[in-house]
Amino acid sequence: TILFRPLVKKIDDSNLPLYKRVRRLTLLRATDLLIWFLILNLLGVFVARYFVNHSDDEEQQWNWMTTLYWATQTTTTIGYGDLNMPFDMRWFQVFFTTFGTAFVGAVFGAFAGLKDEIGSMRRFYAWKRREISKRLIDEMQGSDVDARVDQYEFMVGSL
């Protein structure tokens, strides 16, 4: 949401139907997470390339695809352990794996928050579409029927 803060305001446009708002919100969140995933992996690729290029061992000379493979499997915390890496790179891998684990947790948290935000958006949309009617006033009356709606009853009925 940090990258697309101005676009999030367009989601709240009351002229859009609900399904388009939900679609936009989902697309923005997924795009935001994908961009952060790519940034984290590119950081891992370039730092790993530095360590690989300074290695003397022939088995540790990775090409760009192998480096991207390492960064992706490390970021997603899969970590097969099938690559022979330079010894100096192991300290970087400790920190990179820690950031990757935190990133995966943040992604799961963001998608859980997205589900809650969509539910809240749907409830607000339904509440906004309600019109004042005799039935709504009767529902807000509660047990003490005095033919008047006080502030408390109005607030409870609005929620």
Side-chain angles (χ1 to χ4, degrees):
T1 60
I2 295 170
L3 295 175
F4 299 108
R5 183 75 57 192
L7 295 176
V8 171
K9 291 180 182 178
K10 289 187 177 184
I11 292 173
D12 296 332
D13 186 14
S14 60
N15 297 332
L16 287 176
L18 179 64
Y19 75 94
K20 285 189 177 182
R21 287 189 217 169
V22 169
R23 219 180 266 166
R24 275 190 185 175
L25 181 65
T26 305
L27 181 66
L28 284 175
R29 294 291 189 264
T31 305
D32 192 29
L33 293 173
L34 179 66
I35 287 173
W36 283 114
F37 178 75
L38 291 174
I39 289 171
L40 185 62
N41 277 317
L42 285 176
L43 173 74
V45 165
F46 288 119
V47 173
R49 291 298 300 166
Y50 171 79
F51 285 112
V52 166
N53 287 336
H54 288 84
S55 174
D56 295 333
D57 192 359
E58 189 65 34
E59 287 182 12
Q60 298 171 350
Q61 297 298 318
W62 299 344
N63 59 18
W64 283 96
M65 281 308 290
T66 305
T67 309
L68 179 64
Y69 167 75
W70 172 85
T72 304
Q73 77 173 359
T74 304
T75 302
T76 56
T77 67
I78 295 172
Y80 294 118
D82 57 344
L83 297 175
N84 186 12
M85 71 178 68
F87 184 77
D88 295 339
M89 191 171 139
R90 292 173 196 249
W91 282 108
F92 171 70
Q93 182 169 1
V94 167
F95 294 112
F96 192 68
T97 304
T98 303
F99 285 122
T101 304
F103 176 77
V104 169
V107 166
F108 286 138
F111 280 124
L114 176 64
K115 182 180 176 184
D116 291 341
E117 194 171 349
I118 288 172
S120 175
M121 184 184 291
R122 287 182 176 154
R123 283 190 301 276
F124 181 71
Y125 184 78
W127 176 80
K128 222 168 100 175
R129 292 180 47 125
R130 288 178 82 174
E131 295 179 3
I132 299 294
S133 65
K134 174 75 171 134
R135 182 174 166 234
L136 179 62
I137 291 174
D138 290 342
E139 285 177 6
M140 287 192 278
Q141 287 294 323
S143 60
D144 59 336
V145 179
D146 58 359
R148 290 185 14 225
V149 178
D150 61 10
Q151 291 175 347
Y152 175 75
E153 290 170 336
F154 180 77
M155 184 185 73
V156 170
S158 296
L159 296 177

